[in-house]
Amino acid sequence: MPRKKSKLETYRDKRDFARSPEPAGGGGDWKKRGNPVFVIQQHAASSMHFDLRLEIDGVLVSWAIPKGPSTDPEEKRLAVRTEDHPLEYADFEGTIPEDEYGGGHVIVWDAGPFRNLKRDEEGDEVSLEKCLDNGQVEVWLEGKKIRGGYALVNSKMGGVEKNWLLIKMKDEGADARRNPVSTEPESVLSGRTIEDVRESAEDESA
Ligand code: MN
């Protein structure tokens, strides 16, 4: 019988924790918050993108969003599903060495609790695990910059299984005029911008 794979095996296989400051996970130092958490990290790697992560069943289920989240329901944003990350990653901010996987700089651009909005025809909650399997996730994000309902739909655009779309739902958090990705660049953890993190990393290596 094959051993049941850890959900974090892909995450760990990609990284060398002797070289990367990223958390290996499973160390038990994660303090469980009352509600499941989401985080949106800005990640200046080989290309700039935002990583949306949702706490589901003990891991952070993750998508890379090249343009970041929009508050405009008319704007569909490509969201590429990536490997599950450990819960500890929600607090990760810093610099990954250039020659390591995901090398570059990371800030916690937004974070907060979230809740599942998805209901079946009887009005019963559909579990997030099932929503992922169905390729139809609907969540309410309660961040400092991003608030309201968001749908994640596994569109498989171009025949690519991991391609999803992130779409703002029409509610009081919808606003076609806001553009927090460019107007609110500071980390909600430290107040630093991605450029601040880049500069301090360059100072340290100088
Ligand atoms: Mn990333």
Side-chain angles (χ1 to χ4, degrees), residues 36-40 52-55 110-114 141-143 146:
V37 297
F38 83 96
V39 62
I40 300 172
L52 167 65
R53 311 188 198 284
L54 301 176
E55 178 183 352
D110 202 10
F114 80 93
L141 305 178
E142 197 67 48
I146 294 294

Side-chain angles (χ1 to χ4, degrees), residues 43 49 51 53:
H43 186 184
H49 61 274
D51 291 296
R53 311 188 198 284

Side-chain angles (χ1 to χ4, degrees), residues 4 63 137 144 164 170 201:
K4 189 174 177 289
W63 292 263
V137 174
K144 292 199 168 76
W164 293 56
K170 290 179 181 155

Side-chain angles (χ1 to χ4, degrees):
M1 285 276 284
R3 185 175 62 91
K4 189 174 177 289
K5 273 194 179 179
S6 161
K7 284 186 174 184
L8 295 174
E9 195 161 302
T10 306
Y11 172 86
R12 289 176 179 139
D13 281 352
K14 286 173 185 274
R15 290 166 175 82
D16 176 356
F17 298 105
R19 301 211 58 232
S20 173
E22 296 168 292
D29 50 357
W30 171 257
K31 286 185 200 69
K32 179 87 181 100
R33 277 77 155 167
N35 290 308
V37 297
F38 83 96
V39 62
I40 300 172
Q41 279 152 321
Q42 187 178 7
H43 186 184
S46 50
S47 62
M48 182 75 80
H49 61 274
F50 290 76
D51 291 296
L52 167 65
R53 311 188 198 284
L54 301 176
E55 178 183 352
I56 299 174
D57 198 22
V59 293
L60 295 175
V61 175
S62 300
W63 292 263
I65 305 168
K67 292 186 178 173
S70 177
T71 53
D72 180 356
E74 301 300 317
E75 279 271 326
K76 296 178 173 68
R77 294 281 160 93
L78 173 66
V80 181
R81 180 94 183 259
T82 57
E83 75 275 17
D84 295 344
H85 280 47
L87 296 177
E88 290 87 339
Y89 211 93
D91 295 331
F92 175 71
E93 200 168 280
T95 295
I96 303 163
E98 226 169 83
D99 48 354
E100 293 299 305
Y101 179 76
H105 313 282
V106 177
I107 61 165
V108 176
W109 183 79
D110 202 10
F114 80 93
R115 54 194 169 76
N116 183 5
L117 296 176
K118 195 77 177 172
R119 301 290 181 274
D120 64 16
E121 278 129 53
E122 279 84 55
D124 295 322
E125 183 170 326
V126 181
S127 76
L128 285 161
E129 290 84 352
K130 194 155 190 199
C131 289
L132 284 173
D133 286 347
N134 295 343
Q136 294 269 357
V137 174
E138 291 176 11
V139 287
W140 182 277
L141 305 178
E142 197 67 48
K144 292 199 168 76
K145 302 172 186 174
I146 294 294
R147 225 186 129 256
Y150 277 83
L152 280 151
V153 181
N154 192 5
S155 63
K156 303 180 189 178
M157 268 180 310
V160 180
E161 184 75 29
K162 64 185 178 179
N163 282 351
W164 293 56
L165 288 170
L166 176 69
I167 307 160
K168 180 74 196 78
M169 293 163 76
K170 290 179 181 155
D171 55 35
E172 72 258 32
D175 186 342
R177 292 157 306 177
R178 275 186 77 210
N179 187 10
V181 159
S182 54
T183 62
E184 298 173 56
E186 296 88 7
S187 162
V188 295
L189 267 194
S190 66
R192 297 186 296 173
T193 65
I194 203 93
E195 285 308 316
D196 294 335
V197 174
R198 186 197 307 275
E199 279 164 28
S200 59
E202 283 167 1
D203 289 348
E204 272 166 42
S205 66

